[in-house]
Amino acid sequence: MATIAFPGSNQGCAGVDPDSALRYVARQPILDLQGKVYGYELLFRSGPETIFRGDSEFATRTMIDNTVLFGIEKLTGSLPAFVNCTGEALIREQVGLLPPGITVLEILETVEPVPELIQACRHLKSLGFRLALDDFVWKPSLEPLIRIADYIKFDFILSGEIERRKMLARLKGIPAVLLAEKVETQLDYQRASAEGFTLFQGYYFCRPTLLTRRKVPANQMSHIEMLRLLQETPLDLRRASEAVKRDAALTYRLLRLVNSPACAMRQEVRSISAALMALGEDVFRRIATLAITSELNSGQPAEILRMAFVRARFCELAAASCGLNTLEQYLMGMFSMLPAMLRAPMEEILSALPLRTEIRCALLGEPNPERTLLAWLEGNEQGGLAGL
């Protein structure tokens, strides 16, 4: 889960008390059967800690305020936004400030389905909001909400297979979309698909634990070899250029990046050599790394690549405040997602990359100063599973 710290003050190094003016939102992707991002669940965080602690009513009010202040469309790219709601927020229609077209109101499992709440939910539905029942456990009092729910979410850790089978039988004929959350392995994903779930939330796509003996394909090893060349100091421009040119798809991707508005080139760049001359060694190294990483992620959910970019950028920006090397931290954030991209163990991938021992140990999960920022990010991503 990506954690977004909204501007308002300077954020210090991990472990340093944050300025109270900084706003935090945890964002977790929800995927469809094709592995594409369907939407995001937005969760309130009071600070850079990994899980929610505090009052649910305050969290809901603040979450609504954050989405209004910064724009829910920017947080989700205009995809559906799942927002946790307490009974009070629904009955008093505090959620009315959110855009109905892309907002899914998640009714927390702790909410009592009293007549007042059911009436409020029906009215919110008439305004265009969609409703989701969170951490669903069947009970007769929920039937009025089940009939109008657009999504029903099952906790795949708390609900066993037999229990789910019984509840799914009760839901037969209900048009609501079934969403499996806390899906953490490929086996969980396959089981949920077989049971009729069509949306998935969790880290199954980022944890290739079932494929630890899989070898990296030869064509992807050539990309890792290019990454190895790009990390050498000084950069051997001739060898790096030749390596990139041998891969037509990578050449196309690199030139597309070089000619994008982000690079603001005055005239079109049409060759790898010209890109090297125009960009300079450091910028070329970064653009080429992005291009290769994008190519490595081919065939995997786009969210994996998005998370890699978020991790890389965060680690780079926060590195200086922690006394760490910015380039190393950028690469570590990016490379931390390689196992998910390649569906292979980190140990095998690292054997092909000339990284310092400390960086290698950090990527393998060993605690050290170089791992500080990445550990903080991973903690937020995994802690977000706790929800409210």
Side-chain angles (χ1 to χ4, degrees):
M1 177 186 297
T3 300
I4 305 167
F6 292 123
S9 67
N10 292 324
Q11 181 180 353
C13 181
V16 178
D17 290 336
D19 190 299
S20 60
L22 209 57
R23 302 276 187 103
Y24 293 85
V25 174
R27 185 186 76 167
Q28 186 174 40
I30 295 170
L31 307 182
D32 63 17
L33 283 166
Q34 287 72 47
K36 296 180 180 178
V37 178
Y38 175 85
Y40 293 92
E41 179 172 359
L42 303 179
L43 293 168
F44 167 77
R45 292 290 180 267
S46 58
E49 54 185 348
T50 60
I51 60 174
F52 169 77
R53 303 182 191 279
D55 178 71
S56 295
E57 296 290 355
F58 172 75
T60 297
R61 290 195 302 270
T62 307
M63 187 72 251
I64 293 169
D65 178 54
N66 284 344
T67 55
V68 172
L69 184 61
F70 298 101
I72 200 169
E73 297 88 351
K74 292 182 179 179
L75 293 176
T76 69
S78 295
L79 294 173
F82 289 66
V83 179
N84 285 211
C85 299
T86 60
E88 180 184 7
L90 294 166
I91 292 171
R92 296 188 179 183
E93 295 195 8
Q94 298 168 349
V95 296
L97 295 172
L98 302 174
I102 64 170
T103 302
V104 180
L105 306 174
E106 282 202 26
I107 304 172
L108 296 174
E109 67 278 10
T110 55
V111 172
E112 286 296 323
V114 296
E116 201 177 8
L117 175 80
I118 295 168
Q119 182 180 353
C121 288
R122 286 174 177 156
H123 178 61
L124 290 166
K125 281 272 292 186
S126 71
L127 297 177
F129 287 99
R130 283 171 281 177
L131 302 177
L133 299 181
D134 192 31
D135 290 346
F136 178 76
V137 176
W138 191 90
K139 52 186 177 181
S141 60
L142 282 177
E143 288 188 3
L145 290 177
I146 292 172
R147 287 196 291 269
I148 62 173
D150 298 279
Y151 308 89
I152 296 180
K153 301 180 69 173
F154 282 71
D155 187 316
F156 236 67
I157 291 179
L158 296 180
S159 63
E161 187 174 355
I162 295 176
E163 181 186 2
R164 284 196 306 274
R165 189 183 304 132
K166 292 178 180 178
M167 289 193 288
L168 291 170
R170 291 182 180 274
L171 295 175
K172 191 173 183 180
I174 298 295
V177 174
L178 298 177
L179 192 160
E181 60 180 338
K182 299 184 183 176
V183 176
E184 303 209 351
T185 68
Q186 187 73 12
L187 183 60
D188 286 344
Y189 167 68
Q190 292 171 350
R191 184 178 292 125
S193 300
E195 292 177 4
F197 291 88
T198 56
L199 293 178
F200 312 90
Q201 186 175 349
Y203 286 90
Y204 75 91
F205 62 94
C206 289
R207 293 182 181 177
T209 53
L210 300 179
L211 301 170
T212 54
R213 291 184 175 85
R214 175 173 172 168
K215 295 293 183 181
V216 180
N219 64 319
Q220 291 180 327
M221 282 302 298
S222 68
H223 290 150
I224 292 179
E225 170 64 17
M226 293 181 205
L227 286 176
R228 189 188 68 78
L229 287 173
L230 289 170
Q231 305 326 309
E232 291 181 354
T233 304
L235 178 64
D236 188 324
L237 299 181
R238 185 189 62 78
R239 288 178 63 203
S241 178
E242 289 298 322
V244 172
K245 284 193 290 187
R246 284 196 295 268
D247 189 310
L250 182 58
T251 298
Y252 168 77
R253 191 184 292 273
L254 177 59
L255 291 179
R256 188 175 62 182
L257 283 169
V258 170
N259 289 296
S260 69
C263 288
M265 303 302 295
R266 294 183 179 179
Q267 57 185 10
E268 186 178 15
V269 176
R270 299 182 179 180
S271 71
I272 299 299
S273 299
L276 275 166
M277 295 296 293
L279 296 173
E281 179 178 324
D282 290 342
V283 177
F284 175 80
R285 193 194 304 266
R286 172 170 305 187
I287 295 294
T289 299
L290 288 175
I292 294 169
T293 307
S294 300
E295 194 67 22
L296 286 172
N297 196 59
S298 297
Q300 299 296 338
E303 183 64 19
I304 293 177
L305 187 61
R306 189 178 294 114
M307 287 178 68
F309 290 163
V310 168
R311 285 185 176 188
R313 186 61 173 154
F314 172 83
C315 290
E316 177 190 34
L317 291 177
S321 62
C322 296
L324 298 170
N325 181 281
T326 56
L327 177 59
E328 273 191 340
Q329 287 297 304
Y330 176 87
L331 293 172
M332 197 163 78
M334 182 79 70
F335 290 169
S336 68
M337 296 302 295
L338 285 178
M341 296 178 186
L342 301 177
R343 300 177 69 87
M346 182 65 84
E347 291 87 346
E348 182 181 336
I349 297 168
L350 287 180
S351 65
L353 294 174
L355 300 171
R356 285 198 304 120
T357 300
E358 291 81 1
I359 298 298
R360 190 183 301 274
C361 291
L363 286 170
L364 289 172
E366 298 179 21
N368 61 17
E370 281 76 9
R371 184 174 167 75
T372 301
L373 295 171
L374 180 59
W376 185 88
L377 271 178
E378 290 176 341
N380 270 275
E381 293 167 0
Q382 295 168 15
L385 292 173
L388 288 180

